[in-house]
Amino acid sequence: MVAKPTERFLGQKLSDAARPAQLTRTYLLNAATIAVLVGQLARWYWLVWAGALVVAVALAWHAIVLAGQVKSARRIHIGAVGFVASACCLPVGALFGAALSAGLPGQWHGAVRQAHMFTNVAGFVGLAAMGALSVLFPAMWRTRGQDRVGVALALAGAGVVVAVAGSLLRASAVTGVGTVVILAGWVWLYQGFVASALTVVRDPRGRVTYPALSALCAVTWLVGGLTWYAVRVFGGTLEVPTLPLLLGFAAQLLIGTMSYLMPVTMGGGRPR
Ligand code: HEM
C-alpha cells in the first residue's frame, strides 16, 4: 500500500498513533490475498469471495484514509491523488475477480474478465504508477519534473470508467474509445518522459542507470501494448493483454523502481 509515499509527497508525517491501523490494513490485505489464492486452487469459491470482500474493504478503508491525508495537506500533490484513485479501483476489480472465480455463463465471462483487467491493471496499477512516476521518473533521470500528471490522471481515470462500462455492456466501440483515452493519458506523460530522458545526450553525467532505463522501457511497453490492444478491441476481442501489461509494464516498473528506491532508502546511495 502507498501510505508512506503519500506522506512524502504531501510533506506530512503521520503520528505514531496512525501506524497500527496502517498495519491492520496490510495484515488484512495479505491474509485476504492468501485466501483468494488458496480458494482458487482448491476451488473453494466461498473462500475466494470472502478474500475478495476483505481486499475490497481493506482498499476502500485505505482510499478513505489517503483521501483524508490529501485533503488535510497544506499543498495538494497531484501524484497523491493518483494513489487515492488507484485505491478506489481495487475494491471494484476484486469483486469482478470473485465473480470470475467460479466461471460466468457464455460471453459474460470474457466481458467481466476484460472489465477486471481494466479496473485492476489500467486503474489500480496504472493510476498508482502515474502518481509515483510523476516524482520518481525525474528523480531517476535527474531532470526537472514536468507538470503533466494531472491531465494524464484525468484522462486515464475517465478512460478506465468508459472501458469498464464498454466491457460490461459488450459494446466494443465504447471499450475501444475508453482504451484510447487511457492511452492518450499515458502518451501525454510518456512524451514528457522521453523529452526528459533525451537531455542525457547533451548532459550525460552518468544518468543512464538500470532503474532509469527500466522505468522508461516499462512505460514504452505500456504504450505499445495498449496501442496494439486498442486496435484489437475495436475489432471486438475479449482477450486481455496480460503479458505486455503485467510483465512488460508492471513487473519491469516494479523491479526498476525498487532497484532505485531500496539503495536510496537503505543508505547505499544512488544506483549506477
Ligand atoms: C481479490 C482480488 C482478485 C481476484 C479475486 C481475482 C480473480 C481472478 C480470476 C478468477 C481470474 C481468471 C479469469 C479467467 O477465468 O480467465 C483473473 C484473471 C486476471 N486477473 Fe485477477 N483477481 C484479483 C486481483 C487482480 C489484480 C490485483 C490484478 C492486477 C494487478 C489482476 C489481474 C488479472 C488479469 C490481467 C487477469 C487475466 C489473466 C488472463 O486471462 O490472461 N487480478 N483474476
Side-chain angles (χ1 to χ4, degrees), residues 59-135:
L59 262 291
W61 177 12
H62 185 60
I64 292 167
V65 173
L66 288 188
Q69 278 179 247
V70 171
K71 251 177 91 180
S72 66
R74 258 177 284 146
R75 193 179 55 86
I76 289 187
H77 190 296
I78 196 74
V81 176
F83 296 152
V84 179
S86 152
C88 290
C89 289
L90 191 55
V92 182
L95 296 183
F96 287 146
L100 287 166
S101 60
L104 291 169
Q107 284 230 318
W108 275 107
H109 195 88
V112 174
R113 190 178 51 183
Q114 196 177 46
H116 177 70
M117 185 277 295
F118 277 117
T119 341
N120 283 353
V121 182
F124 172 60
V125 178
L127 298 175
M130 273 188 171
L133 279 173
S134 67
V135 169

Side-chain angles (χ1 to χ4, degrees), residues 180-243:
V180 170
V181 176
I182 299 170
L183 181 61
W186 275 103
V187 168
W188 175 241
L189 206 58
Y190 184 60
Q191 196 211 340
F193 288 168
V194 172
S196 300
L198 284 176
T199 59
V200 295
V201 175
R202 55 179 159 73
D203 179 20
R205 285 186 290 145
R207 287 158 64 205
V208 184
T209 60
Y210 167 72
L213 279 176
S214 283
L216 186 64
C217 292
V219 184
T220 308
W221 269 102
L222 179 70
V223 169
L226 271 183
T227 307
W228 166 78
Y229 188 56
V231 175
R232 293 186 43 87
V233 167
F234 278 111
T237 188
L238 285 177
E239 282 168 26
V240 292
T242 305
L243 287 182

Side-chain angles (χ1 to χ4, degrees), residues 2-69:
V2 284
K4 271 282 185 188
T6 306
E7 282 175 60
R8 188 165 287 190
F9 281 20
L10 298 173
Q12 286 173 334
K13 174 103 181 72
L14 288 186
S15 72
D16 285 346
R19 302 294 174 210
Q22 273 180 352
L23 281 177
T24 304
R25 290 197 294 279
T26 305
Y27 294 144
L28 274 179
L29 188 64
N30 279 281
T33 306
I34 293 171
V36 168
L37 292 176
V38 172
Q40 193 65 31
L41 288 174
R43 300 185 183 202
W44 295 336
Y45 300 119
W46 58 271
L47 190 60
V48 179
W49 268 101
L53 281 174
V54 176
V55 169
V57 169
L59 262 291
W61 177 12
H62 185 60
I64 292 167
V65 173
L66 288 188
Q69 278 179 247

